[in-house]
Amino acid sequence: MNWNAISFDWNHVRAFLATVEEGSLSAAARATGQTQPTLGRQVAALEEAIGVTLFERVGRSLTLTTSGAQLVDHVRAMGEAASRISLAASGQSQSIEGLVRISASDVLSVYQLPPVIAQLRDRAPGIEVEVVSSNAISDLLRRDADIALRHIRPEQPELIARKLADSDAYLYATPDYLSRVGNPKVVDDLKAANFIGYGAPDEMLPHFVAMGLPLTRDNIRYHSDSGVVGWHMVRQGLGIGVMSEQVAALTPDIVRVLPDLPPVSFPTWLVSHRELITSSRIRLVFDHLAEMLG
């Protein structure tokens, strides 16, 4: 190894990689928890250290130079190696104290995780829990979280997954809203009803149609990327929405629409990294989640 040839600081390389991956200094600053000026200085310091201009600066935008683009694959490989080092170090930790980050959808984070975490507190009071509430799939290989709850099975061989359960989802609304639309008795009675979408209407419509509902884009009058916001729209009587049976059971002010309509079934998977699961604290939380949510 020619140590004298390594003239740069890894933190400066990390700043460059984050800027490339996130698309701008401001987005990279949010992703890394630093300020934009700090990241800008780190990128400039890397350029000075290696004698290469990495970005063309046009107004407020940054564009990779040819030289910068040629370095991206090498820098990305360094980032992945750093992630593996972090994973291995975390996995070797045998302390039953410390932080465990759990990624889950916003609905699961609000309605189902808090009582599970309360029981974990009694079982392992030294463990600190951060809930990463997001409907996007977290990247466990890059340590977005230590453990994830997902509704699709991961395909990466570096991840381990345990299927917790299959859940059923049905249509729900408030009694007042159903009264206003004539108390639907059959599917065709829903043609004039408003529906709540979780995400863009054009993306949600095929799921409603797959349930056998005679809907068009115009039926989805209210929508949000947040499942919690969408569910509260249902609770406010704005329309009909889909929700898991478990969450609906925790919501006393709604009723099932067309009880004979077949449910939408979906799995829940508990996922972690193979190296992380050797950590006693992460294994304890993983097993606790499996026990309580399985």
Side-chain angles (χ1 to χ4, degrees), residues 38 83 132-133 137 187 222 245 248 259 266:
T38 296
S83 294
V132 182
S133 177
I137 295 178
V187 168
Y222 310 103
E245 194 173 20
F266 60 93

Side-chain angles (χ1 to χ4, degrees), residues 140-281:
L140 297 185
L141 300 182
R142 294 197 175 188
R143 293 297 302 276
D144 287 352
D146 302 311
I147 299 170
L149 288 156
R150 299 178 178 175
H151 297 308
I152 59 174
R153 184 174 188 172
E155 297 180 353
Q156 300 95 322
E158 299 91 344
L159 303 181
I160 61 168
R162 182 185 300 181
K163 187 177 181 181
L164 299 183
D166 285 313
S167 301
D168 290 334
Y170 297 89
L171 296 178
Y172 294 94
T174 62
D176 178 67
Y177 181 75
L178 293 181
S179 177
R180 282 188 277 132
V181 294
N183 290 312
K185 298 293 190 296
V186 296
V187 168
D188 282 347
D189 293 341
L190 300 177
K191 288 181 178 179
N194 291 334
F195 277 74
I196 309 301
Y198 304 135
D202 291 336
E203 296 176 358
M204 193 72 190
L205 181 60
H207 297 290
F208 285 133
V209 172
M211 296 175 67
L213 304 179
L215 307 183
T216 68
R217 166 67 174 77
D218 292 339
N219 289 100
I220 307 174
R221 301 295 303 278
Y222 310 103
H223 47 90
S224 172
D225 286 337
S226 166
V228 172
V229 172
W231 187 233
H232 275 270
M233 289 181 180
V234 174
R235 297 182 65 182
Q236 288 297 315
L238 293 176
I240 298 170
V242 179
M243 185 49 66
S244 71
E245 194 173 20
Q246 294 95 324
V247 172
L250 301 172
T251 313
D253 49 355
I254 52 89
V255 295
R256 189 183 297 180
V257 181
L258 302 183
D260 294 333
L261 193 70
V264 176
S265 295
F266 60 93
T268 299
W269 292 88
L270 185 62
V271 187
S272 188
H273 197 284
R274 290 187 180 278
E275 294 183 18
L276 281 181
I277 208 65
T278 62
S279 162
S280 59
R281 73 177 186 280

Side-chain angles (χ1 to χ4, degrees), residues 2-10 12-13 45-46 48-51:
N2 183 2
W3 300 109
N4 292 327
I6 304 174
S7 59
F8 53 81
D9 186 320
W10 159 245
H12 300 165
V13 175
L46 178 62
E48 182 178 354
I50 63 178

Side-chain angles (χ1 to χ4, degrees), residues 7-8 44-54 67 71:
S7 59
F8 53 81
L46 178 62
E47 291 178 321
E48 182 178 354
I50 63 178
V52 171
T53 300
L54 301 171
S67 298
L71 293 177

